[in-house]
Amino acid sequence: MGEPAVVTLRATRDTDLDTLHRITHEAGHGPDHDPGDDLEWRTVRADGEIVGRVTSRREGGDVFVAVSLPPSASEAVGVRALRLFADTLPRPLHAKVAAADEASAAMLEHCGFRRVDAGLYRLD
Amino acid sequence: MASTPTSTTMGFTGEPPAAPRTDRERQKADRRAAILTAAARLFAERGYAGVTIEDLGTAVGVSGPAVYRHFPGKSAVLAAILEGASRSLLDGADRVRIEAPDAASALRALIAFHVDFALADADVIAVQDRELEQLDPGVRHEVRSLQRRYVEHWVATLAELRPDRAEMELRFRAHAAFGLLNSTPHSARTPGRRPADGAVRGILEEMAWASLLS
């Protein structure tokens, strides 16, 4: 199969939620809440198939982004989705990464984020 | 990769001209698709005339001039949206009729397919209904021809089910059903939120079936 030809984002729909819940569960991202007013949710699709989501939320005046993809997804898909998402958001953006999560850290750096503190990344 | 079917398998993604091979080409393909999605939304919201190339760039986070790296102009964006949509519809109808064991199943599947498309791509459908005249004559001719072939799938299926009826009436019924299916998802949409697709789907399918065969 290789890399998908096209990665797209769309505003998350009610009908996407079952699939997204399953994916975030597989990814070990814990229980989900439904999209609220303080969150932007985008469904990530690779060649038309739902593969995960990107979200943004406000925390103490800063905007944080997060990517949820199943462990089987390639880092490149995460990079492509995050890049599309970040381009539509005001800077600076922030992201948190668990200490052992080297793949996510690599993905963020690939998108131009830099490490500002332990587990904390920023894109200006 | 999760092997998860989406709510719609023929959703309009704006197929890039060729399969991208490098990271750079993939990034370009992603950007092109993002421009098309944003353009469909903006054209649906404000009308084709009310959207500038600058607006398209802003919507995906690039400058107006950067949009020209993907499309020679605004009319090329509209052309890609409408050609992509009519091609997806025709491909879907081709597939449905090949796979259906009989005319009644084919009609059910055509209706379900069209409802899927109208729900998933309400923006594109709205643009198709309103902005076809904005296309350059050559592209408009191509889009019209794809649309005619799509309608022919419906008319041929209806003719098998109702051989007693004149073709003109069947064609009229097909267009009336499209009107029902195309306008409702968009008009039933409240700002920022889509209607609960599951509920809308059943009602639309039932109404379309009745309107075609009553």
Side-chain angles (χ1 to χ4, degrees), chain B residues 69-91:
Chain B
R69 262 181 244 145
H70 304 272
F71 299 97
K74 197 171 75 160
S75 69
V77 178
L78 181 66
I81 292 171
L82 297 187
E83 255 194 285
S86 28
R87 220 171 272 286
S88 296
L89 283 169
L90 181 58
D91 289 350

Side-chain angles (χ1 to χ4, degrees), chain A residues 105-119:
Chain A
M107 184 183 74
L108 287 168
E109 279 167 4
H110 211 111
C111 289
F113 282 75
R114 61 191 172 79
R115 187 175 171 278
V116 288
D117 205 344

Side-chain angles (χ1 to χ4, degrees), chain B residues 92-130:
Chain B
D94 282 344
R95 214 166 42 233
V96 157
R97 287 197 67 214
I98 287 168
E99 286 167 8
D102 54 63
S105 327
L107 186 61
R108 288 224 177 271
L110 282 173
I111 293 171
F113 167 75
H114 196 100
V115 168
D116 264 349
F117 193 92
L119 287 174
D121 293 301
D123 291 335
V124 171
I125 292 271
V127 173
Q128 177 169 272
D129 281 354
R130 291 184 217 140

Side-chain angles (χ1 to χ4, degrees), chain B residues 18-89:
Chain B
R21 289 172 194 286
T22 64
D23 281 351
R24 200 183 169 76
E25 282 173 8
R26 287 190 196 104
Q27 199 178 332
K28 194 171 178 198
D30 293 351
R31 178 79 70 202
R32 184 180 189 277
I35 291 169
L36 289 174
T37 304
R41 180 172 52 79
L42 291 173
F43 291 162
E45 281 171 9
R46 303 184 205 161
Y48 176 73
V51 180
T52 64
I53 282 279
E54 199 66 42
D55 295 332
L56 297 181
T58 304
V60 299
V62 301
S63 67
V67 175
Y68 288 106
R69 262 181 244 145
H70 304 272
F71 299 97
K74 197 171 75 160
S75 69
V77 178
L78 181 66
I81 292 171
L82 297 187
E83 255 194 285
S86 28
R87 220 171 272 286
S88 296
L89 283 169

